[in-house]
Amino acid sequence: EIRAPLNIISVFSDSISKRIKEEDLKESFKTIQHTTTSLSILSNQILEYSKNENKKLEINKSSFNLKQEMTSFLKSNKALVEQSSNKMEIDLNIPNDCEVSSDKAKVHQILYNVVGNANKFTANGLIQIKLNIEDYSKTQYNFFVAITDSGKGMSENDLKNVFESYYQGVVSDKVHNLGAGLGLNLCKELVELFDGEIAVFSQINKGTKVAFNLILDKTN
């Protein structure tokens, strides 16, 4: 029931995209297709987790171009951010030929969660996304991501508990129980699965910064 509508959207958008000649419209449909594919991947993962909550997380590797993947991700999320009257600034420092062998779905899952939280708790503000990659070894990259927003921010108590399972934070004195930490516990598990680390920095009414790194295998 969850997969069927996504598959229908994917089929129709692919069919329409092939008939469009205007470049602007083609780019828009590429964004729709990428977003639908990403949502389908995430839905599949949610279904798998719901079947077995105790299932050990694993990295399912496939080869992909990191620059292309991140560009598509940022385009689809920029539209979402702008619908919420926010602005997005992007600093993308990844070579065009950066090919990796890693778990694309889980990389998406982390990014969607963090960007989604930033957008949810920011109104008429700014979300800055910085992505950078460096050599970690002869066979691996170190992928750095920092997402900063100008939103409501979190209290010191929220920061202490933000990675706890199902923690519901008080985002401000006027906004309660919106799930400041919801999903970040899973993000932490996923980041550590990639041998990385994640940190959150925040102050009430001064915004939040989430920074993490992922170790990604180079494609041979």
Side-chain angles (χ1 to χ4, degrees):
E1 292 177 2
I2 293 174
R3 292 188 181 105
L6 293 172
N7 290 335
I8 292 170
I9 293 170
S10 181
V11 169
F12 275 99
S13 61
D14 183 56
S15 175
I16 295 170
S17 179
K18 290 176 181 178
R19 287 182 259 167
I20 292 175
K21 296 181 180 181
E22 294 87 346
E23 289 301 318
D24 288 346
L25 284 177
K26 275 187 176 291
E27 286 300 313
S28 295
F29 269 92
K30 283 182 181 178
T31 300
I32 292 171
Q33 288 170 302
H34 178 270
T35 305
T36 304
T37 300
S38 297
L39 186 55
S40 180
I41 291 170
L42 295 176
S43 298
N44 288 336
Q45 286 203 325
I46 291 169
L47 291 171
E48 287 300 315
Y49 293 151
S50 65
K51 287 178 184 176
N52 187 356
E53 293 180 1
N54 296 318
K55 184 178 179 181
K56 184 179 178 181
L57 293 173
E58 296 177 347
I59 291 180
N60 301 307
K61 293 182 181 179
S62 65
S63 297
F64 59 95
N65 182 288
L66 186 63
K67 176 71 172 288
Q68 292 177 2
E69 200 63 35
M70 291 300 98
T71 298
S72 296
F73 169 85
L74 292 168
K75 279 184 179 179
S76 61
N77 277 263
K78 187 175 182 180
L80 183 65
V81 165
E82 289 175 348
Q83 279 188 339
S84 300
S85 300
N86 291 316
K87 293 182 180 180
M88 179 186 285
E89 287 186 358
I90 300 167
D91 183 0
L92 182 61
N93 187 19
I94 301 174
N96 292 332
D97 60 351
C98 184
E99 301 286 336
V100 300
S101 177
S102 194
D103 195 322
K104 179 166 54 176
K106 289 184 176 64
V107 173
H108 276 225
Q109 194 170 358
I110 299 167
L111 286 165
Y112 270 118
N113 192 297
V114 179
V115 174
N117 273 348
N119 191 46
K120 181 166 63 173
F121 297 113
T122 304
N124 298 309
L126 177 65
I127 297 173
Q128 297 172 300
I129 302 178
K130 295 184 179 182
L131 303 99
N132 184 46
I133 197 158
E134 297 177 358
D135 283 330
Y136 184 73
S137 68
K138 289 183 179 180
T139 59
Q140 293 178 310
Y141 290 115
N142 201 350
F143 180 39
F144 298 95
V145 178
I147 298 169
T148 306
D149 66 65
S150 61
K152 298 178 183 299
M154 289 183 278
S155 68
E156 289 185 15
N157 186 60
D158 284 342
L159 284 175
K160 291 177 183 177
N161 296 282
V162 75
F163 292 120
E164 296 297 322
S165 296
Y166 309 114
Y167 179 71
Q168 295 286 316
V170 179
V171 181
S172 74
D173 56 353
K174 296 181 181 178
V175 183
H176 297 269
N177 296 323
L178 288 178
L182 194 61
L184 284 178
N185 175 65
L186 178 57
C187 280
K188 186 174 186 290
E189 289 185 34
L190 292 173
V191 167
E192 291 175 349
L193 189 65
F194 287 90
D195 295 323
E197 296 180 349
I198 185 170
V200 180
F201 310 90
S202 186
Q203 292 183 46
I204 290 290
N205 298 321
K206 292 187 178 180
T208 300
K209 177 180 179 180
V210 179
F212 61 89
N213 73 298
L214 308 174
I215 306 301
L216 307 179
D217 290 343
K218 297 178 180 179
T219 300
N220 296 328

